[in-house]
Amino acid sequence: EGIVNEIAARCKLPSKILEEMRNEFLYYYPLDTRHSGRDLVPNHLTFFIFNHCAIFPKTLWPQGIVVNGSVLMGGKKMSKSFGNIIPLKETVQKYGSDPLRLALMATSELLQDADLSLDMIKSFQGRLEKLYLMASELREIKQIEISRDLMSIDQWMQSKLNNTIFAVSESMDKLRFREALHQIIYAFDKDIQWYLRRTKNRTQNKNLIKHILKNIFDVRIRLLSPFAPFFCEEIWEILGRKDFIAKTSWPQVKKDQINIIMEEGEDLVEQILNDTINILKVTKLKPKRLTYFVASNWKQGVYNEALDLANNGSLSIQKMMKKLMVNRDLRSKSKQVSEFVKKTVDEVSKLPKEIREKRASLTDFNEFNILEEAKQFYQGEFNCDILIYKEDNQSKR
């Protein structure tokens, strides 16, 4: 600050040198970012901020600080004394760069230390090998736009695919890369395995399953490509693509394919499967026939009424009974209705708000039809006859 000639005389330096020094300083300042380790936050980086605030005007303060975390090995800092250092070059040569990259990304978010392990790297190497084999199996299948002849489980799979695209995209926007990778690798793989299990014994339209899997695989590889670029480029070529996957568009959510009813229906199918397995384990029975009963229509109506009242913040046994007793049919079995209302109010009041709202929106949810369509699946799982009744015995199959 000040007049250059006066400062030069006071400092006993040529004005030209002062001007060169000033120009060089202004060329580099303000500093965009200072990169350093997290161990320097309580000392060097703190004084870095203090000094700039004390000496320079605000227009010349640093624009930001980037703090790097550490890479741990089995929860410990890498150190020669611990013998847990993994040479980067050897690791890449042995396992590949993509499994290593995935293992690093999967163990931490941005503000956490990465806790690496050889088992994690090997695990991702194995998962990528499975995807490679799947690509080889699917390469000859033509990719098509699927819109017809879809069973409930097919619609469920498409719904879960679009939910995955939404979840991964949202996580990426928030820079939550570990969360995004978890959705792509683990959560979605669980959905795919369930779909394969559900369609294993299906007799109708088997080719449709292959086309759905091919479409799913295409999306999944595009979601994975930022994390495993070399592997995904190789897979893209195996699938017969001529362009680079890096130049393809990011998958977009098809909102019309998100189907809450199908998702809830499949949750019901899986819940009943697990309940049946647990009962058979306890009783040690090998059944020749399994019979499932679906609740009466009036009970479903009572349950829906409880959801509505709960969402409005006015759920109580008294209000439920007052509203239900207007109905003549329900009034004729008031004792039975009263007992069911007590159980329903207790159950619904314990549900999280998002689940209550979700279930209240399922106006077309039909348990009987859902189980009827899943009957072939249950027969294959338990190797016995399956009977489905409505509680009032008005219909059965």
Side-chain angles (χ1 to χ4, degrees):
E1 291 181 342
I3 301 171
V4 65
N5 291 333
E6 294 179 359
I7 298 172
R10 191 164 66 244
C11 296
K12 298 179 181 180
L13 287 171
S15 298
K16 185 179 180 181
I17 291 179
L18 278 181
E19 288 175 350
E20 289 177 353
M21 291 169 63
R22 178 64 174 169
N23 289 336
E24 184 173 339
F25 171 79
L26 292 176
Y27 176 83
Y28 286 107
Y29 268 77
L31 165 68
D32 287 335
T33 56
R34 170 74 170 91
H35 291 244
S36 193
R38 62 178 173 81
D39 54 320
L40 296 182
V41 170
N43 42 64
H44 171 76
L45 293 176
T46 302
F47 280 92
F48 174 72
I49 296 173
F50 290 168
N51 291 337
H52 279 80
C53 292
I55 298 172
F56 300 143
K58 191 172 183 178
T59 54
L60 298 177
W61 289 359
Q63 301 299 295
I65 297 174
V66 176
V67 178
N68 301 319
S70 302
V71 178
L72 308 177
M73 175 58 73
K76 297 180 180 179
K77 183 178 179 180
M78 284 195 186
S79 170
K80 289 181 180 179
S81 60
F82 292 140
N84 62 352
I85 292 178
I86 305 178
L88 183 61
K89 184 177 180 180
E90 291 179 16
T91 307
V92 172
Q93 288 176 342
K94 187 172 182 180
Y95 302 105
S97 60
D98 283 339
L100 175 59
R101 185 182 290 105
L102 290 170
L104 285 167
M105 297 296 287
T107 55
S108 69
E109 294 292 1
L110 285 180
L111 301 180
Q112 297 174 321
D113 291 334
D115 193 356
L116 191 61
S117 71
L118 286 177
D119 289 339
M120 179 72 74
I121 300 173
K122 292 175 184 177
S123 173
F124 276 111
Q125 187 183 40
R127 286 182 175 275
L128 293 184
E129 287 173 356
K130 288 180 180 179
L131 289 176
Y132 189 93
L133 293 175
M134 188 179 295
S136 302
E137 295 172 1
L138 296 172
R139 65 183 302 173
E140 302 302 328
I141 299 172
K142 184 180 178 183
Q143 192 168 345
I144 60 173
E145 187 69 28
I146 298 170
S147 58
R148 297 179 180 178
D149 303 322
L150 295 182
M151 296 182 68
S152 296
I153 185 62
D154 302 323
Q155 296 178 56
W156 172 86
M157 187 72 256
Q158 287 194 328
S159 185
K160 298 298 282 188
L161 171 64
N162 282 279
N163 281 329
T164 299
I165 296 172
F166 177 82
V168 173
S169 301
E170 188 175 49
S171 297
M172 294 289 277
D173 289 342
K174 295 178 180 178
L175 303 182
R176 299 185 64 84
F177 303 124
R178 178 188 182 187
E179 189 175 84
L181 194 57
H182 175 84
Q183 290 289 336
I184 300 167
I185 296 292
Y186 299 109
F188 194 44
D189 189 62
K190 183 181 178 182
D191 294 335
I192 293 172
Q193 294 306 315
W194 175 252
Y195 178 70
L196 291 172
R197 182 178 180 182
R198 282 281 277 115
T199 56
K200 179 177 61 177
N201 298 317
R202 197 163 92 184
T203 55
Q204 59 271 53
N205 210 345
K206 295 285 286 185
N207 287 331
L208 178 65
I209 299 171
K210 295 180 180 179
H211 289 301
I212 289 175
L213 289 173
K214 177 69 176 283
N215 289 357
I216 288 171
F217 196 80
D218 172 277
V219 172
R220 196 180 189 194
I221 291 300
R222 281 189 283 157
L223 293 175
L224 186 62
S225 62
F227 301 93
F230 301 115
F231 171 80
C232 290
E233 290 292 356
E234 177 72 14
I235 295 296
W236 206 239
E237 184 176 345
I238 290 175
L239 295 176
R241 302 306 181 87
K242 304 301 181 184
D243 54 347
F244 288 105
I245 194 171
K247 292 184 177 181
T248 60
S249 60
W250 184 256
Q252 299 299 308
V253 177
K254 297 179 180 177
K255 293 183 179 180
D256 61 318
Q257 292 185 2
I258 296 179
N259 195 319
I260 299 176
I261 293 177
M262 295 304 167
E263 291 185 27
E264 283 291 309
E266 207 54 36
D267 286 346
L268 176 66
V269 171
E270 186 175 10
Q271 179 185 333
I272 289 176
L273 173 72
N274 292 332
D275 288 345
T276 306
I277 290 173
N278 291 332
I279 291 170
L280 294 178
K281 280 183 179 179
V282 172
T283 59
K284 297 181 181 180
L285 295 174
K286 189 174 181 180
K288 295 181 180 179
R289 181 180 67 234
L290 287 171
T291 304
Y292 297 109
F293 290 89
V294 177
S296 300
N297 291 335
W298 72 265
K299 287 186 177 180
Q300 186 63 56
V302 170
Y303 188 80
N304 292 337
E305 188 66 46
L307 290 172
D308 289 337
L309 289 173
N311 291 331
N312 292 327
S314 57
L315 178 63
S316 69
I317 296 174
Q318 291 78 10
K319 288 185 178 181
M320 281 279 292
M321 288 302 296
K322 184 177 180 180
K323 207 166 187 181
L324 295 172
M325 287 303 101
V326 176
N327 186 304
R328 183 181 299 176
D329 292 334
L330 295 180
R331 203 162 54 238
S332 65
K333 44 190 169 193
S334 57
K335 185 177 180 181
Q336 189 179 359
V337 172
S338 176
E339 291 176 356
F340 184 71
V341 164
K342 290 177 184 178
K343 295 178 182 178
T344 304
V345 169
D346 181 60
E347 179 186 336
V348 171
S349 61
K350 294 177 182 177
L351 292 175
K353 181 181 178 182
E354 60 272 16
I355 294 180
R356 291 201 312 264
E357 292 177 347
K358 184 178 180 181
R359 290 185 179 177
S361 67
L362 303 177
T363 54
D364 297 327
F365 194 74
N366 189 314
E367 291 186 355
F368 187 79
N369 290 343
I370 290 168
L371 295 183
E372 174 62 24
E373 190 170 311
K375 189 159 72 170
Q376 187 182 60
F377 167 64
Y378 288 140
Q379 287 172 342
E381 289 289 317
F382 298 112
N383 194 27
C384 68
D385 293 332
I386 304 293
L387 295 178
I388 302 170
Y389 288 84
K390 280 199 171 182
E391 186 182 11
D392 50 20
N393 288 329
Q394 290 178 359
S395 57
K396 63 181 180 180
R397 293 185 187 177

